[in-house]
Amino acid sequence: MGSLNSQPAFVLVRPQMGENIGAAARAMWNFGLDRMRVVGPRDGWPNTRAVAMASGAGRLLDEAQLSDDLPGALSDCHYVMATTARPRGLTKTVLTPEAAMAEARARIGRGERVAMMFGPERAGLENADIAQANAIVSVPVNPDFPSLNLAQCVLLCAYEWQRSAGTATDRVEELAGTSPATGEEVDHLARHYEERLEQAGFFFPETKAEGMRLNLRNMWSRMPLTRADVQMLHGILRQMVRWKTRGE
């Protein structure tokens, strides 16, 4: 299990439904977070519905810190952020989840203990809760429907925590056991097709033949071909030629 010196604590304040607590545990563990704190759960603790919903993340609930009040849950923290979708009229720094998790990682790197608060499902955190935070985390949601499910909000913030580590790659080309085709392999493919198309009388009329060859070469260069693609295209053309020969 991680320590609060290496990750933020996620503090669920007066959660109402055990299912949402369990779903929040799953969301945390999806992204490597396991420091949960629970403040005044409505249906008591431990909660069998939370355990059932947590599935493989049940150990987060087993080791969750239970507190009767919010000051007790935050007593060892240096920096606290509160999630809310509604304007609160409080003088606070307001961060996006992305900026909040970058801030959390920077502070934890300096040895601070950081916590993020999530409010109860019905109405979220109260102003008295938010007053105990150093900053607000606000998600740019639809203003006509700003309410986020507890577990959804936890998932969003946990994802940004993982992303702040810089380990996620924005784009990966999955090559399924093959590798990109080399320039030589693509050139060989292009010449193979040009030769067969020439025999088939494709480059006609002669005045347009050079432009047609140029367009064909340009088409091959635009395609992100793999070695497997090149081999298959060679095979298709060979089979078509064999099929035509058998039919004569």
Side-chain angles (χ1 to χ4, degrees):
M1 300 287 283
S3 71
L4 191 53
N5 293 328
S6 63
Q7 61 176 257
F10 276 27
V11 183
L12 310 188
V13 182
R14 300 182 299 278
Q16 296 170 318
M17 298 179 62
E19 292 87 346
N20 283 335
I21 301 173
R26 291 185 64 175
M28 289 175 62
W29 191 229
N30 281 147
F31 297 101
L33 291 165
D34 54 27
R35 297 286 84 188
M36 176 183 281
R37 299 183 179 186
V38 183
V39 180
R42 183 190 67 182
D43 296 336
W45 197 260
N47 187 297
T48 56
R49 291 185 176 181
V51 173
M53 189 65 184
S55 188
R59 65 188 184 89
L60 271 72
L61 303 179
D62 294 337
E63 301 191 20
Q65 176 182 310
L66 177 65
S67 297
D68 294 329
D69 55 39
L70 188 54
L74 303 178
S75 62
D76 64 336
C77 297
H78 300 98
Y79 192 80
V80 178
M81 293 178 278
T83 59
T84 180
R86 296 184 287 116
R88 297 301 185 133
L90 298 173
T91 303
K92 298 279 188 187
T93 299
V94 180
L95 305 168
T96 64
E98 179 180 12
M101 286 308 170
E103 179 74 15
R105 194 171 286 279
R107 288 179 176 275
I108 289 170
R110 297 196 294 266
E112 296 182 31
R113 290 186 289 275
V114 176
M116 178 166 286
M117 296 192 295
F118 301 85
E121 296 89 323
R122 185 179 61 82
L125 293 167
E126 297 177 359
N127 278 4
D129 302 320
I130 296 174
Q132 299 178 60
N134 302 99
I136 287 174
V137 181
S138 184
V139 181
V141 294
N142 177 5
D144 296 326
F145 191 59
S147 179
L148 280 177
N149 174 272
L150 171 60
Q152 290 175 329
C153 191
V154 168
L155 179 70
L156 180 63
C157 294
Y159 165 73
E160 291 295 352
W161 167 258
Q162 181 70 15
R163 205 162 72 94
S164 71
T167 56
T169 303
D170 290 336
R171 176 171 173 159
V172 176
E173 300 293 344
E174 179 55 63
L175 297 179
T178 185
S179 58
T182 65
E184 181 181 10
E185 289 166 337
V186 175
D187 179 68
H188 184 208
L189 178 68
R191 286 187 286 105
H192 186 190
Y193 270 76
E194 287 171 14
E195 290 168 4
R196 293 302 186 184
L197 290 171
E198 180 71 43
Q199 293 170 5
F202 175 76
F203 298 112
F204 180 84
E206 183 62 32
T207 55
K208 296 184 178 180
E210 188 59 32
M212 295 170 72
R213 289 188 177 89
L214 180 62
N215 287 340
L216 188 61
R217 286 278 179 154
N218 190 47
M219 181 190 75
W220 294 125
S221 69
R222 291 201 317 270
M223 297 172 66
L225 294 168
T226 67
R227 299 190 69 185
D229 295 333
V230 168
Q231 291 166 2
M232 182 180 69
L233 289 167
H234 277 301
I236 289 171
L237 191 55
R238 293 189 187 101
Q239 185 61 28
M240 291 177 68
V241 170
R242 284 195 290 267
W243 172 77
K244 182 180 183 300
T245 303
R246 288 199 300 270
E248 291 177 348

